[in-house]
Amino acid sequence: YTQAKALVFSKPGEPADVLSLHSHSISPSLPSSSVLVRSLAAPINPADINTVQGTYGAKPPFTSLIGTPEPSATPGNEGVFEVLSSSSSDFTKGDWVIPAISQFGTWRTHAVAEASKFIKVEKDGLSPLQVATVSVNPCTAYRILRHYGPNAGVKAGLGMRPLEVGSGEWFIQNGANSGVGRAAIQFGKLWGLRSINVIRERETEEATAALKQELEGLGADVVVTESQFMSREWRDQLAEITRKGREQIGLGLNCVGGKSATAIARSLGEGATMVTYGGMAKQPVALPVGLLIFKDIRFLGFWLSKWNEKDVEGRKHMINDILSLIRARKFRDVPVDEVKWDWDTEESTLRDAVQGGLQGFRKGKGVFVF
Ligand code: NDP
């Protein structure tokens, strides 16, 4: 028998209140076409925390499969596992796999699942952290940039058109320091787009300057602080960046909501698209009607889970494409805050790591490392 542990919750609530660590054992006789895996790394993404809180767009199934006293779910959308044994010919011992489905439940030391729930990853030249963080943040930035812009709509009239690689077109984003934001900066650079990136001011000027520099190092063309971006002077500064509007901003990426989202919308050119994918400020998006009527700006939402369901093959292709860029050192890792999880790790350590995951001004994304 394999001894395993999993973080579980049986009712929605604050992670610190509702998460518990459950021990169980896994039988050595695998069902047919199944795989036994051990975890290598699993990130703590904002969506996972929202899932525990019960505010996310999808609810995980609550089951008694691992013998919890009440039906429970294990959170965690992404991660990388090593195959320990397999009754499917698709996988062999030592392979690295990532979940093929949303809400797999990656916050656990081991898992048994049908082979179809996994995608094999070519592990050569990659670290567990790189593979564990590929399928949510980078894929979101990749999909949005590829599909929506920039300037989707302007040239093609009412329809959307795919990205013209190397067009030098501008996009603008808030939450530029997020995992998605950093990925968008890098893909933008690789694909010949130019980016304006909004970050929140740090505690000291030095720290703000250091973050700016870091994002410029990733390929950001312009980095501005939120206060600069919200000020009266921004209009003139933007005019300068866009050569008095001769170069329009065709795409806005909204990670934040609230006033920041309104300011993104005001920065866009005629016929541009604003894609909302996150709501970190927990504030609604308010839009001046003139932007809808006179500037014909399109406002859309994006949800990666839906895209993944609709385009399974496209997702695999995208993940392989991104992993190749990582191997070729053309795409840099997101800063992480490693949370060691071994057999003796206390429940409270794991719970606190999750609870802290939505706090701002962090040094990196929390990732369980096994
Ligand atoms: P990270 O954990 O990597 O980063 C969080 C970011 O949010 C940081 O840039 C942080 O800025 C910022 N932030 C935190 N609190 C606030 C606040 N109150 N106001 C403004 N900004 C804040 O995040 P991810 O990249 O993993 O996710 C970012 C967002 O994207 C989340 O809302 C997530 O749910 C969403 N998302 C959506 C997807 C979709 O399919 N729709 C897919 C993937 C992510 P700072 O550094 O200044 O603290």
Side-chain angles (χ1 to χ4, degrees):
Y1 281 80
T2 305
Q3 296 307 310
K5 286 187 183 181
L7 277 175
V8 295
F9 69 111
S10 294
K11 59 173 194 312
E14 281 308 306
D17 302 331
V18 301
L19 278 183
S20 64
L21 189 58
H22 175 74
S23 302
H24 61 114
S25 52
I26 297 173
S27 159
S29 60
L30 279 180
S32 65
S33 300
S34 295
V35 191
L36 168 66
V37 295
R38 89 174 172 94
S39 306
L40 299 175
I44 303 166
N45 283 311
D48 302 322
I49 304 171
N50 295 150
T51 301
V52 178
Q53 292 169 327
T55 57
Y56 197 60
K59 307 266 176 274
F62 288 80
T63 72
S64 300
L65 284 174
I66 59 169
T68 46
E70 287 174 70
S72 67
T74 293
N77 244 310
E78 65 172 346
V80 60
F81 302 98
E82 182 188 48
V83 173
L84 293 180
S85 60
S86 170
S87 57
S88 153
S89 57
D90 293 344
F91 301 100
T92 48
K93 190 172 183 318
D95 283 350
W96 282 12
V97 294
I98 60 173
I101 53 160
S102 298
Q103 313 249 8
F104 181 89
T106 54
W107 296 356
R108 48 175 148 178
T109 60
H110 298 79
V112 178
E114 287 157 30
S116 62
K117 304 259 166 71
F118 294 109
I119 298 174
K120 184 178 158 173
V121 165
E122 263 331 312
K123 64 184 177 187
D124 292 346
L126 298 172
S127 71
L129 282 174
Q130 289 170 327
V131 180
T133 52
V134 74
S135 63
V136 173
N137 289 171
C139 287
T140 300
Y142 188 108
R143 272 281 190 201
I144 295 175
L145 287 184
R146 284 298 228 210
H147 193 79
Y148 289 113
N151 267 354
V154 171
K155 291 178 188 158
L158 293 177
M160 299 292 181
R161 71 167 173 75
L163 171 75
E164 264 175 34
V165 174
S167 58
E169 288 169 357
W170 287 103
F171 70 94
I172 183 166
Q173 62 168 345
N174 57 20
N177 182 40
S178 67
V180 177
R182 285 169 175 260
I185 291 171
Q186 300 189 69
F187 291 135
K189 191 71 186 176
L190 283 167
W191 297 335
L193 304 171
R194 288 180 294 169
S195 62
I196 301 173
N197 299 277
V198 184
I199 56 167
R200 297 196 295 175
E201 236 135 29
R202 310 284 110 174
E203 244 176 33
T204 61
E205 265 177 43
E206 293 75 39
T208 305
L211 179 57
K212 272 190 184 177
Q213 219 172 24
E214 201 184 327
L215 298 189
E216 282 161 8
L218 293 178
D221 294 277
V222 178
V223 184
V224 295
T225 62
E226 204 149 66
S227 53
Q228 184 184 352
F229 176 61
M230 306 276 206
S231 71
R232 289 185 176 282
E233 292 77 48
W234 174 243
R235 188 184 276 264
D236 293 338
Q237 289 165 356
L238 183 65
E240 208 169 292
I241 295 167
T242 57
R243 301 171 58 231
K244 298 223 162 35
R246 279 199 296 275
E247 297 170 2
Q248 298 253 310
I249 298 175
L251 176 69
L253 268 55
N254 173 31
C255 166
V256 175
K259 290 195 176 119
S260 174
T262 309
I264 291 278
R266 286 189 197 279
S267 304
L268 297 174
E270 183 162 345
T273 305
M274 181 166 111
V275 180
T276 292
Y277 68 87
M280 291 306 298
K282 298 201 166 70
Q283 295 293 323
V285 177
L287 302 170
V289 290
L291 295 183
L292 290 151
I293 299 171
F294 305 124
K295 284 180 95 179
D296 192 22
I297 291 172
R298 257 151 272 268
F299 296 93
L300 307 164
F302 174 88
W303 192 19
L304 185 66
S305 308
K306 266 280 169 310
W307 278 86
N308 289 343
E309 274 170 32
K310 279 193 294 193
D311 185 9
V312 173
E313 282 311 306
R315 174 174 187 242
K316 284 187 195 157
H317 180 82
M318 167 170 68
I319 288 173
N320 283 329
D321 193 15
I322 300 169
L323 291 176
S324 312
L325 291 171
I326 296 173
R327 265 191 218 98
R329 299 184 192 281
K330 290 184 178 160
F331 187 89
R332 272 190 257 160
D333 302 0
V334 67
V336 297
D337 185 3
E338 290 188 28
V339 182
K340 193 96 196 102
W341 179 343
D342 56 31
W343 193 257
D344 301 319
T345 306
E346 305 266 349
E347 179 181 89
S348 59
T349 306
L350 302 174
R351 255 191 336 216
D352 291 349
V354 176
Q355 188 68 46
L358 274 188
Q359 273 158 16
F361 306 107
R362 292 163 55 85
K363 70 176 164 112
K365 184 181 284 290
V367 182
F368 293 124
V369 178
F370 299 85

